[in-house]
Amino acid sequence: MRTKNKLPKLLLLFILITHFSFAQTDIDAIMMPKHNFCGGLMYGQSNWKNYWEGTFKRDNQNLGTVTTSMVNIMGNYGVTDKLNLLFGVPYIQTKASAGTLAGQRGIQDLSLTAKYMPIETNLGIGTFSLYTIGSVSTPLSNYVADFLPLSIGLRSSTATGRLMIDYQVHQWFATVSAAYIARKNISIDRTAYYTNQMHYSNEVSMPDATNINVRMGYRTSHLIAEAVFDQFTTQGGFDIRKNDMPFPSNKMNAKRIGANVKYTFHKKLSGLSAIANGNYVFDGRNVGQSFVIMAGAFYQMDWTKKKKVDSKK
Amino acid sequence: MKKTIIFLLAATTIIAACKKDITERNLLFSALNPAKTDSLAGTWKTLLLTAPNEFALAAPGATNVPAYAREINEIKSFQAALTNEQRSRIAYWSAGAVLRWNEIMRTLVARHNLAPYQNEDGTYPAPNANNPFAYPQFPFSNPPFAARAYAYVSAAQYDALVAAYHYKKLYNRPSPYIVDATLEVLVPKTTLAAYPSEDGVIEGVTVEMLKLLFPTEGAYIRAMAEEEKLCRIMSGANVRSDIEAGEFLGRLVAAKFTAKAAGDRAGVAIGNPIIWAQIEADCKARGETAWMSLDMPKRPPMLPLFGNVKSFLIDSLTQVANRPVPPPLTSSEKFRTELAEVKKYADNATRENIRIVHFWADGTGTYTPPGHWNAIAAEEFVQQNFSEVRWARNFSLLNITMMDAAIACWDAKYFYFNQRPCQADPSIKTLTGIPNFPAYVSGHSTFSAAAATYLSHVIPARADAFNAMAKEASDSRMFGAIHYRSDCEKGLELGSKVAESAIARARIDGAE
């Protein structure tokens, strides 16, 4: 749906073993009005103690709790009321509370998204809208992918195509979307590695992935509160063997539930909004059972050339 | 803005359309086409065989009789209906049987290089050769196990091939395409006699050795063996009786090596709690800080008695003479300096240093450092156009010297039982996994110097490159913050010393 003064909401799209990847408002049914820009910062932390080696769930005293901290700079610009462009740049730091392995830190992947709403119409007692979303991401630094679970990312450039529908009745809404994520092969520092066979190459074939996201809740111009279900499924890849190290091309699957709240301030603080969200992996494969909390603040500016309009009057 | 959207759409399409296939270097190797046939290799000095004809091999049937013609017809019947997949597998095996079985070995090592997961009570189960399928499966192919496994397989292949070349010379049966000029042949032709087949003898000896070393892998090994034999027949390189004679001979030779393996003390290298406690007490009695497992739960030390394993080439007196001088005392200024250096590398890792650490890490789930040097050697040997027997000879001495490096290095590790840097200073964080055995001397350094020194003898023109690789492998352990400088430098020295035995042997084995 389209609302005035809407700030982008943020969603943690993938939490694989440790790494965050953000797509901010690309996955919700909120559009930035024409010539409005909204920018802000999110801070988040993910923690996990248990993880899945294939389907075997375990902890690891040589890692203790793996913590990933993240700061994400994000923005959303309304080209028109029906077309938004979004970007995000996260800085990520990882740490294990036990064992000897060194945590990693650095700038992760730039993401760019175009979000288009071709249909918004009254339907029955509510409003129906349809969205098509295209997104690309690519690493911004030469970080190490092949040091899981402490790598800050997988280094794979991705392209995501998503179809999303939203239905709102009064203040109550439901949004459902499905995405296909194409992932480009990556290069690692080794020139040979074992998956379920030896590979004599420094290139790793990365399996693609799919995502399903369902969200329901309450939405007004000042408050949004919603529950989220998210399922990330790797199409291919292989399982971590018992007591082996994880690898970027593992079959990483995760089912998560979470909640988001966004409050938009009025009057003197108009344009400012605050966001908090949390989510938890309740089922997974070759990923950490992460619990994530995030908070952030955003400011929306109207870049319409008002003065010019005024002088014409 | 439209441009941006078009860009995003285009980028999406490009990434989505990207090919997932990767180019694997080992699948680009061309067919073996040796510069020299080494037809006199039947006179080369064997390792365990008392003589190349210690095992008798019956003379082949004549080639001008109907039985042989029927064997040729078998080849022709396969060739009449070859699939692309079969042609591709023929091409794969044509790169050389020693090479391909060495690759298969590396696969098996990587597949089994996983430390056991702990029991509920925090103790660890150990693999059991007599019950190999129970968790943890036998073997845990850690670096010493792997070094020994590579050595036994390569050594057995060498002796088996020397025997085969002896009989080739003796019986001088021609290749099928020489007997029948109309026969198509899908691999490079050779003037070397065909009976017994090199591929058959390598397959026969290797399958028997791998049954011993990787007992849970029978099905995979058998499938590869059957494919290899069939590929050689389909290619027109050999008739079935060439292959079967080779396989028969190879199996007999393997028995000599499995018998040695049973008595080389590797089976008891794991020790027991009394021995582990004694090693620790001996170290403390010298006033030093004893090594402690940094795994949690604490894991028993890896193969503490591997230093007692019997070598192919080095006697125990020479081994004691090779033993490095003691590491810097914990209380010494030198120790503090070296510890501070490790801390510096840990805290100031450059991206290039991280690359070096990861390139050489060869840890959990990999083919180990000896496997890495086998891969390096294989890619070098491919360019040298060696004959099968020379491949085997060069690999056998390479792997024997790396097994000797493992023995000498593990002897030093448990003789001194020296702590790792992050035991001495827990604020040191490592850029790769911390190995579960003492620090002094570095295994990577010892393996790498042994391999580089021996390979420099085989291909002198590449000596600088090999030595630079060994130095980088050695440095990688310091950069990774898991070894002190002394571990690395003394490890390199030890490795080069060990390799002198292999080089001495190479000078007199008849191949040079």
Side-chain angles (χ1 to χ4, degrees):
Chain A
M1 74 168 271
R2 186 177 4 148
T3 54
K4 279 185 183 172
N5 203 24
K6 273 295 171 214
L7 290 182
K9 269 192 312 162
L10 311 171
L11 184 97
L12 197 59
L13 183 57
F14 319 135
I15 305 162
L16 303 179
I17 289 263
T18 61
H19 98 288
F20 294 84
S21 174
F22 280 83
Q24 55 274 350
T25 57
D26 69 338
I27 198 166
D28 66 15
I30 309 291
M31 296 298 282
M32 186 64 38
K34 184 175 180 179
H35 293 174
N36 273 231
F37 175 78
C38 179
L41 275 179
M42 284 292 281
Y43 173 78
Q45 205 176 68
S46 148
N47 286 287
W48 56 262
K49 187 167 172 285
N50 293 321
Y51 64 105
W52 288 271
E53 274 172 350
T55 53
F56 174 61
K57 189 174 173 185
R58 61 170 293 184
D59 66 355
N60 191 331
Q61 296 175 45
N62 300 297
L63 293 169
T65 297
V66 174
T67 300
T68 306
S69 307
M70 186 266 342
V71 176
N72 198 6
I73 301 170
M74 285 169 292
N76 181 0
Y77 178 71
V79 182
T80 70
D81 287 351
K82 292 183 175 239
L83 177 66
N84 284 187
L85 292 177
L86 306 89
F87 76 91
V89 179
Y91 178 87
I92 289 176
Q93 181 164 6
T94 64
K95 187 179 184 299
S97 70
T100 70
L101 289 179
Q104 308 285 298
R105 58 174 184 267
I107 295 175
Q108 198 215 34
D109 305 341
L110 166 73
S111 66
L112 294 172
T113 300
K115 180 175 170 187
Y116 180 57
M117 180 177 66
I119 298 172
E120 186 184 36
T121 181
N122 291 331
L123 185 73
I125 55 168
T127 309
F128 171 84
S129 48
L130 173 80
Y131 302 77
T132 58
I133 299 156
S135 177
V136 292
S137 76
T138 195
L140 284 182
S141 69
N142 191 20
Y143 65 83
V144 180
D146 183 20
F147 194 53
L148 292 169
L150 295 174
S151 300
I152 63 168
L154 301 178
R155 280 196 66 74
S156 178
S157 290
T158 68
T160 303
R162 180 181 297 273
L163 201 63
M164 182 167 77
I165 55 172
D166 180 76
Y167 191 67
Q168 180 160 359
V169 179
H170 304 300
Q171 284 81 38
W172 301 95
F173 76 95
T175 311
V176 177
S177 70
Y180 189 85
I181 301 133
R183 303 199 294 181
K184 201 175 168 190
N185 291 351
I186 63 170
S187 293
I188 58 174
D189 293 333
R190 294 190 263 169
T191 51
Y193 58 93
Y194 183 84
T195 56
N196 40 28
Q197 64 180 89
M198 281 301 304
H199 298 278
Y200 290 93
S201 174
N202 65 343
E203 204 184 333
V204 178
S205 176
M206 292 292 285
D208 291 345
T210 54
N211 172 254
I212 291 169
N213 186 280
V214 179
R215 38 222 295 138
M216 300 170 97
Y218 177 82
R219 182 156 72 197
T220 68
S221 59
H222 294 295
L223 179 69
I224 296 174
E226 62 184 356
V228 181
F229 165 80
D230 188 88
Q231 179 171 1
F232 182 88
T233 310
T234 302
Q235 305 296 316
F238 69 101
D239 283 334
I240 308 171
R241 296 172 297 161
K242 204 167 188 175
N243 247 11
D244 199 357
M245 300 299 281
F247 192 71
S249 65
N250 283 142
K251 184 176 191 60
M252 298 181 188
N253 294 345
K255 288 181 189 162
R256 289 180 293 134
I257 48 167
N260 298 334
V261 177
K262 186 179 78 167
Y263 184 74
T264 305
F265 295 91
H266 321 245
K267 297 174 185 172
K268 280 187 180 172
L269 292 174
S270 179
L272 188 69
S273 63
I275 291 172
N277 60 47
N279 64 63
Y280 178 68
V281 174
F282 66 91
D283 187 22
R285 186 161 173 162
N286 305 304
V287 297
Q289 185 163 29
S290 52
F291 178 68
V292 182
I293 45 171
M294 307 191 66
F298 287 81
Y299 190 74
Q300 183 174 348
M301 288 155 279
D302 188 346
W303 288 356
T304 313
K305 290 166 186 168
K306 283 174 184 163
K307 278 186 179 172
K308 217 175 176 180
V309 174
D310 288 347
S311 66
K312 274 183 182 172
K313 275 183 180 173
Chain B
M1 274 311 165
K2 275 197 176 147
K3 277 183 185 167
T4 315
I5 297 158
I6 291 165
F7 164 77
L8 284 175
L9 285 174
T12 308
T13 316
I14 289 164
I15 295 174
C18 270
K19 274 182 69 180
K20 294 280 182 186
D21 294 346
I22 59 174
T23 305
E24 311 227 15
R25 296 188 304 283
N26 65 320
L27 300 182
L28 303 176
F29 296 154
S30 48
L32 189 68
N33 193 6
K36 283 192 304 180
T37 57
D38 288 321
S39 59
L40 299 177
T43 62
W44 294 358
K45 202 172 166 191
T46 47
L47 287 158
L48 292 189
L49 291 187
T50 50
N53 60 353
E54 180 181 340
F55 296 108
L57 182 71
T63 56
N64 58 353
V65 295
Y68 191 84
R70 288 195 290 272
E71 294 205 78
I72 297 259
N73 288 342
E74 181 189 9
I75 299 173
K76 288 180 173 173
S77 75
F78 279 120
Q79 290 186 346
L82 278 184
T83 65
N84 286 338
E85 172 64 16
Q86 285 171 325
R87 285 181 191 276
S88 142
R89 298 312 291 172
I90 289 169
Y92 166 85
W93 282 104
S94 73
V98 170
L99 165 64
R100 292 308 186 197
W101 280 106
N102 184 265
E103 288 178 359
I104 291 166
M105 271 284 285
R106 283 180 246 148
T107 296
L108 295 175
V109 167
R111 193 177 287 168
H112 290 269
N113 184 11
L114 296 172
Y117 181 71
Q118 67 266 23
N119 296 317
E120 289 285 330
D121 64 358
T123 60
Y124 289 92
N128 180 355
N130 297 317
N131 187 12
F133 287 93
Y135 187 84
Q137 279 198 358
F138 178 87
F140 165 23
S141 52
N142 51 45
F145 180 93
R148 172 175 170 273
Y150 290 120
Y152 269 90
V153 172
S154 296
Q157 287 175 341
Y158 169 71
D159 270 15
L161 275 170
V162 171
Y165 277 60
H166 167 81
Y167 289 113
K168 279 173 183 289
K169 185 85 185 153
L170 181 67
Y171 296 130
N172 205 26
R173 183 199 236 188
S175 295
Y177 46 82
I178 294 173
V179 177
D180 179 348
T182 68
L183 184 70
E184 192 188 353
V185 56
L186 304 173
V187 296
K189 294 182 181 181
T190 173
T191 56
L192 198 65
Y195 179 98
S197 143
E198 304 95 292
D199 286 79
V201 80
I202 294 164
E203 179 271 320
V205 71
T206 308
V207 168
E208 292 306 305
M209 296 310 296
L210 293 182
K211 276 187 202 166
L212 171 77
L213 296 162
F214 295 94
T216 65
E217 295 287 351
Y220 169 68
I221 293 162
R222 176 50 57 198
M224 295 306 279
E226 293 306 321
E227 183 186 77
E228 182 203 357
K229 290 189 289 178
L230 186 58
C231 281
R232 292 306 284 184
I233 294 169
M234 292 191 301
S235 75
N238 290 103
V239 293
R240 187 170 288 276
S241 56
D242 296 337
I243 303 275
E244 284 174 351
E247 186 177 44
F248 169 80
L249 181 61
R251 285 176 180 167
L252 293 175
V253 173
K256 294 279 284 195
F257 287 81
T258 54
K260 174 175 162 60
D264 75 355
R265 305 190 193 122
V268 295
I270 194 166
N272 59 50
I274 297 165
I275 290 169
W276 305 336
Q278 187 59 47
I279 294 171
E280 188 179 336
D282 289 349
C283 178
K284 287 179 173 161
R286 293 192 300 270
E288 288 300 284
T289 305
W291 172 84
M292 185 180 80
S293 172
L294 296 172
D295 276 10
M296 286 176 279
K298 287 199 186 309
R299 193 184 284 279
M302 183 187 288
L303 301 182
L305 302 184
F306 197 86
N308 297 340
V309 169
K310 288 187 197 164
S311 157
F312 280 91
L313 296 178
I314 298 182
D315 59 55
S316 54
L317 284 178
T318 311
Q319 195 184 307
V320 170
N322 281 348
R323 186 181 285 156
V325 299
L329 297 177
T330 314
S331 56
S332 68
E333 185 57 33
K334 189 165 165 48
F335 178 81
R336 280 190 293 277
T337 311
E338 291 200 2
L339 185 64
E341 185 184 18
V342 174
K343 170 92 172 149
K344 187 195 76 183
Y345 282 123
D347 292 347
N348 305 287
T350 63
R351 185 63 185 84
E352 174 61 6
N353 281 5
I354 293 171
R355 184 198 67 77
I356 291 169
V357 171
H358 289 180
F359 180 84
W360 293 105
D362 299 322
T364 295
T366 70
Y367 50 29
T368 76
H372 198 158
W373 280 98
N374 273 270
I376 291 168
E379 289 180 38
E380 295 285 343
F381 293 172
V382 161
Q383 295 169 42
Q384 302 293 322
N385 295 324
F386 290 143
S387 64
E388 283 284 14
V389 69
R390 195 168 287 274
W391 266 89
R393 181 265 196 178
N394 288 333
F395 261 138
S396 70
L397 289 178
L398 171 67
N399 284 317
I400 284 171
T401 202
M402 284 199 285
M403 174 174 159
D404 289 342
I407 294 169
C409 178
W410 256 246
D411 169 76
K413 281 181 184 293
Y414 289 95
F415 188 78
Y416 295 115
F417 212 57
N418 202 33
Q419 62 180 331
R420 293 272 173 177
C422 45
Q423 181 184 339
D425 177 358
S427 78
I428 292 176
K429 292 292 174 186
T430 63
L431 303 179
T432 188
I434 186 88
N436 192 52
F437 39 83
Y440 187 82
V441 292
S442 147
H444 278 57
S445 306
T446 316
F447 286 128
S448 299
T453 305
Y454 172 71
L455 289 174
S456 298
H457 173 79
V458 176
I459 312 173
R462 295 284 291 151
D464 289 348
F466 293 137
N467 291 326
M469 283 188 245
K471 177 69 166 62
E472 190 180 89
S474 172
D475 284 345
S476 78
R477 307 310 268 175
M478 243 192 313
F479 298 163
I482 61 172
H483 273 294
Y484 313 96
R485 182 171 290 279
S486 289
D487 300 342
C488 297
E489 291 178 354
K490 295 298 173 190
L492 286 174
E493 280 176 29
L494 179 60
S496 338
K497 252 188 236 172
V498 162
E500 289 310 321
S501 298
I503 292 171
R505 162 84 194 188
R507 290 202 172 101
I508 57 145
D509 67 3
E512 294 181 359

